[in-house]
Amino acid sequence: MTKKALVTGITGQDGSYLAELLLSKGYEVIGLHRRSSTVTFDRISHISDQLTLVAADLLDEASMIRVLRDHKPEEVYNLAAQSFVQTSFGQPTLTGEVTALGVTRLLDAILLVDPTIRFYQASSSEMFGKVLEVPQTERTPFYPRSPYGVAKVYGHWITVNYRESYDMHASSGILFNHESPRRGLEFVTRKVTFSAAAIKLGLQKKVKLGNLDAQRDWGFAGDYVQAMWLMLQQDQPGDYVVATGETHPVKELCQIAFDEVGLNWEDHVEIDPQFMRPAEVDLLIGDPTRAEQVLGWKPRVGFEELIRMMVDADLKALKG
């Protein structure tokens, strides 16, 4: 019998990779998207004929209930969020409504319609913020440093709460930064890879960045969605750090990206105070031991390979 999965945020980076993975495993995939004035289906255009796309919104619980009743999925992956940290400082209430309370609305809808549905919540390394230990594990205390991080902490704990209160199979993946050629241009990795390609082709001269010393644990989004799926295949639900266990400064990201196009990054990168966060997160590095031991998951794409892949994809797209 064909399994059905509902994916919120299917038009995003992770949603598109997860949809590909689920289709490859024979799932029927229902993708949730918001109605908006512009259609942003480019990340899933190559598989859109294999998906069932439905309009609904995490701000509207009735729409969630309707979709669950109509399509009867066995698994729900909640990847939808206002997911840009910088934006969360300017729009903290909206970030809370979608990224925090949106999780509650979806969990509540599942509880009302069919509490046996398995649920995945996209938690975030931004919950650790001003880190209290290095590396970060599932037991590291949270200390978020942005409205986005705070909202993700709420989403994480409400998932734990519904799991423990109603015996739901609800799991959270505490995903550290994960990138790909499909990453939005507002994120620093893609901003750098796109700029390196554009500068190489003479389309721009400089790229403006914030804190070059900030360190992140960066992996490939295509690897990380595998961990999401594995969580919902376990007999018992749980929370897992998904990371590479390595950390790299933004400076190194610039170095590799510009090296791929034969340029010296220092000639083209400028520091701009507007890209400094009001409260900075300096060092994130995850310990994926539990995911490796319980799920049998391991990242396959290394940092340098990932950045070079992104630069090459941007070069190809800009030339095209």
Side-chain angles (χ1 to χ4, degrees):
M1 199 175 123
T2 306
K3 259 185 165 180
K4 273 191 196 179
L6 174 71
V7 180
T8 75
I10 197 163
T11 59
Q13 168 188 259
D14 294 8
S16 67
Y17 282 109
L18 179 61
E20 284 176 350
L21 176 71
L22 294 170
L23 288 170
S24 76
K25 294 183 180 294
Y27 278 71
E28 184 182 328
V29 180
I30 300 103
L32 213 64
H33 68 94
R34 280 174 305 161
R35 285 199 194 284
S36 64
S37 52
T38 52
V39 179
T40 53
F41 292 164
D42 37 334
R43 290 190 185 96
I44 54 169
S45 57
H46 62 296
I47 51 170
S48 57
D49 59 334
Q50 302 169 67
L51 305 170
T52 304
L53 296 173
V54 289
D57 202 306
L58 290 183
L59 298 177
D60 180 4
E61 189 170 332
S63 70
M64 302 284 136
I65 293 168
R66 188 182 66 249
V67 170
L68 293 171
R69 280 185 180 152
D70 289 352
H71 296 278
K72 301 180 171 57
E74 287 103 318
E75 297 174 4
V76 170
Y77 296 85
N78 182 37
L79 311 184
Q82 188 303 96
S83 60
F84 190 42
V85 175
Q86 195 74 30
T87 300
S88 76
F89 285 101
Q91 300 184 329
T93 309
L94 175 72
T95 302
E97 281 289 352
V98 179
T99 307
L101 290 175
V103 187
T104 316
R105 294 185 192 101
L106 186 47
L107 282 164
D108 213 44
I110 290 169
L111 187 63
L112 286 165
V113 176
D114 178 6
T116 67
I117 290 171
R118 295 188 171 202
F119 177 78
Y120 170 82
Q121 166 60 11
S123 286
S124 167
S125 59
E126 287 287 332
M127 302 189 304
F128 296 122
K130 189 175 180 179
V131 299
L132 299 178
E133 65 178 3
V134 178
Q136 293 90 53
T137 71
E138 294 79 8
R139 291 173 300 282
T140 302
F142 299 136
Y143 195 146
R145 299 270 279 171
S146 66
Y148 169 76
V150 172
K152 278 292 185 186
V153 170
Y154 177 98
H156 181 84
W157 280 117
I158 202 71
T159 301
V160 173
N161 188 263
Y162 270 68
R163 176 169 78 216
E164 294 177 351
S165 302
Y166 307 111
D167 200 26
M168 290 169 71
H169 196 298
S171 296
S172 281
I174 306 172
L175 269 59
F176 279 65
N177 296 62
H178 46 290
E179 317 298 317
S180 76
R182 300 179 195 172
R183 190 54 138 157
L185 283 166
E186 68 272 28
F187 291 88
V188 70
T189 42
R190 182 75 197 293
K191 184 177 176 180
V192 169
T193 65
F194 181 87
S195 297
I199 290 166
K200 178 65 178 176
L201 298 173
L203 301 172
Q204 72 184 63
K205 287 190 171 65
K206 300 278 182 189
V207 57
K208 294 180 176 181
L209 300 174
N211 182 6
L212 296 183
D213 297 317
Q215 295 183 60
R216 294 290 181 274
D217 184 327
W218 275 301
F220 173 50
D223 290 344
Y224 285 35
V225 297
Q226 187 90 28
M228 301 176 185
W229 177 77
L230 286 166
M231 286 176 216
L232 297 202
Q233 311 318 306
Q234 304 305 307
D235 292 337
Q236 298 300 322
D239 305 322
Y240 297 87
V241 162
V242 180
T244 68
E246 292 177 9
T247 191
H248 303 270
V250 175
K251 212 175 275 182
E252 188 185 347
L253 155 68
C254 296
Q255 192 184 334
I256 294 167
F258 280 88
D259 178 67
E260 182 67 1
V261 293
L263 296 172
N264 178 5
W265 72 274
E266 288 170 299
D267 297 338
H268 304 283
V269 173
E270 286 181 357
I271 306 294
D272 188 331
Q274 72 161 323
F275 296 115
M276 298 287 190
R277 296 180 188 176
E280 184 56 86
V281 174
D282 296 314
L283 171 65
L284 290 175
I285 177 168
D287 177 356
T289 304
R290 184 163 193 258
E292 288 172 2
Q293 290 176 349
V294 180
L295 305 176
W297 177 85
K298 260 191 162 58
R300 289 168 295 193
V301 178
F303 177 67
E304 186 165 333
E305 185 189 345
L306 168 66
I307 301 308
R308 294 188 187 278
M309 173 212 300
M310 290 172 68
V311 174
D312 293 347
D314 280 326
L315 269 174
K316 193 176 165 190
L318 285 169
K319 282 175 183 170

